[in-house]
Amino acid sequence: MKTIFCEIHLPHIRHNFRLLQQRAGHTRIVGVVKADAYGHGDVPVALCLQSEGCTHFAVARVHEGIKLRKAGIHGDILIMSGSFPNEFAALREFNLTTVVYCEENIEEMVREGISVPVHIKINTGMNRLGFRPDRLPWVYRTLTEAGFAVRGIMTHMACADEPGSPTIGAQENLFYRSLEPYFQEGMLGHLSNSAGIFTLDNLGSLARPGIMLYGGNPFADKTVDLRPAMTFKTKILQVKRVFPGEGISYGHSFVADREMLVATVAAGYADGYSRLLSNKARVLVNGQYAPQVGRVCMDMSMVDVTHIQPARGDEVVLFGEQRGQCIYASELAELMGTIDYEVFCGISPRVKRIYTGA
């Protein structure tokens, strides 16, 4: 019996992929499935995207790429955080493409005598990883002379989700000026994340949407027809009466001011339902909104169901849809002072993922 689980609706991921590919035109969409596909399950999502014609995938770590290869992903798999010497043999064995972003990384690869496909990352303003653009001639020459196949040049946008930001144009212009001397048939140039598909003038050869594949929207304007793929569900463990003056949960941060019907539900911060949501969030019970009350515990939390009168075992939706009503992950993110990326990625491995519409 499933007490708490995430339902992943694969047709919504298919829809989002098609929408983004249509928007991107001739630019090929990369399926960004790092961090277990933002908590949605990397293998099921990658196989779903592969069946839609996706030929390029991106992860952060080498072990993520190996997992995809073993699961039957045939396309190019890009390791965006690069690799260390103890991982070089696996790059070759599993035909993985690594990103190179610093001189020490090049020295390691040349010293180890490994020859694998690489993408060069340049830093155009994110200041996270990458070579300064003026170092690109040296990087390209050093890699090609050492026998590496330079398949692509990339960067990452810092403010693509802020339409009108001058940083967008500045990074885009610097990237394409830097890329121009090296552009040739087959060379991939890419800089766009989810938001960039809608704010950049030139998307390049590839675009790397992450959050939008899963139905998250980085913009305040929610007019894009994205469909959230995940619904976070649990069950009621107990329904009880609480009387005026009685406190609920640790520290009695909530004290009843009237007689209430309170449901204890099987969801806590060990499941990824953050303690920061205490006395702030709402859930769906039998198609009606119910406020969360008291501090969220490790395995449980409480909700006010006085107006609903549910029973033990009834379904509770923490975010997602139920009977025509919806709580978006972005609503929880705002209450937590974060972004929906973190909400998705923070759901614990002990929460089973169930796939529908395969």
Side-chain angles (χ1 to χ4, degrees):
M1 179 179 178
K2 302 181 294 294
T3 300
I4 181 168
F5 62 98
C6 284
E7 188 174 88
I8 313 298
H9 196 47
L10 293 175
H12 284 190
I13 292 176
R14 295 180 188 277
H15 165 86
N16 297 333
F17 175 80
R18 292 169 187 170
L19 183 150
L20 293 169
Q21 186 60 79
Q22 182 179 26
R23 171 76 185 191
H26 295 297
T27 298
R28 285 173 285 174
I29 293 295
V30 178
V32 179
V33 292
K34 62 180 180 175
D36 199 29
Y38 293 44
H40 291 68
D42 49 8
V43 169
V45 169
L47 290 172
C48 172
L49 294 174
Q50 183 168 259
S51 72
E52 285 293 313
C54 184
T55 58
H56 289 72
F57 299 86
V59 295
R61 316 285 191 223
V62 171
H63 73 268
E64 294 176 312
I66 294 171
K67 183 180 178 184
L68 293 185
R69 271 287 180 257
K70 289 182 174 180
I73 297 303
H74 309 301
D76 186 76
I77 299 175
L78 182 66
I79 312 299
M80 293 194 293
S81 293
S83 51
F84 282 95
N86 64 336
E87 299 169 314
F88 290 166
L91 294 177
R92 187 156 40 202
E93 179 181 355
F94 292 97
N95 189 25
L96 304 175
T97 301
T98 189
V99 172
V100 178
Y101 48 77
C102 65
E103 294 184 13
E104 295 88 344
N105 195 194
I106 292 178
E107 292 168 1
E108 292 164 351
M109 297 178 76
V110 171
R111 185 172 61 247
E112 294 291 327
I114 182 174
S115 180
V116 296
V118 299
H119 286 211
I120 301 169
K121 187 165 193 175
I122 60 174
N123 173 26
T124 58
M126 181 74 174
N127 283 311
R128 188 172 63 178
L129 289 176
F131 297 95
R132 292 282 181 178
D134 61 5
R135 294 294 290 157
L136 186 54
W138 176 86
V139 173
Y140 186 85
R141 183 176 65 252
T142 301
L143 287 170
T144 53
E145 289 178 355
F148 291 89
V150 179
R151 299 275 177 81
I153 300 174
M154 62 185 288
T155 193
H156 194 74
M157 302 299 295
C159 303
D161 57 349
E162 301 175 17
S165 169
T167 303
I168 297 174
Q171 283 195 259
E172 187 175 6
N173 291 336
L174 178 57
F175 177 70
Y176 285 113
R177 287 201 309 272
S178 304
L179 177 65
E180 187 175 4
Y182 308 96
F183 189 79
Q184 54 189 329
E185 187 175 356
M187 174 67 75
L188 302 172
H190 51 111
L191 71 166
S192 178
N193 50 17
S194 285
I197 294 174
F198 293 85
T199 56
L200 292 174
D201 292 327
N202 184 352
L203 296 183
S205 311
L206 304 173
R208 311 186 304 266
I211 195 67
M212 281 187 164
L213 283 174
Y214 309 105
N217 192 335
F219 299 111
D221 177 6
K222 305 298 185 185
T223 56
V224 181
D225 182 28
L226 295 166
R227 299 179 185 174
M230 180 186 289
T231 300
F232 194 3
K233 296 181 176 183
T234 187
K235 292 183 182 294
I236 292 176
L237 298 172
Q238 180 185 4
V239 180
K240 58 194 169 297
R241 294 206 173 273
V242 175
F243 296 93
E246 294 184 344
I248 296 174
S249 195
Y250 292 114
H252 283 183
S253 61
F254 182 93
V255 177
D257 60 1
R258 68 192 190 286
E259 183 176 333
M260 302 170 61
L261 201 62
V262 174
T264 299
V265 304
Y269 56 79
D271 302 299
Y273 194 67
S274 175
R275 195 169 182 266
L276 295 173
L277 297 170
S278 300
N279 295 304
K280 298 177 184 177
R282 58 180 182 166
V283 302
L284 282 165
V285 182
N286 297 338
Q288 298 183 64
Y289 294 106
Q292 190 280 324
V293 292
R295 287 183 184 158
V296 173
C297 307
M298 183 180 289
D299 311 296
M300 291 170 277
S301 52
M302 280 62 74
V303 296
D304 177 5
V305 292
T306 308
H307 58 300
I308 301 173
Q309 305 286 317
R312 168 176 159 81
D314 281 358
E315 179 187 271
V316 177
V317 167
L318 305 171
F319 66 77
E321 296 185 26
Q322 187 190 66
R323 300 188 188 182
Q325 303 297 326
C326 186
I327 296 173
Y328 290 98
S330 57
E331 178 180 321
L332 273 63
E334 186 173 351
L335 294 172
M336 294 164 59
T338 186
I339 52 177
D340 50 2
Y341 302 67
E342 186 174 352
V343 173
F344 292 135
C345 293
I347 297 176
S348 168
R350 81 174 185 177
V351 176
K352 187 174 179 61
R353 274 61 166 178
I354 306 294
Y355 297 89
T356 64

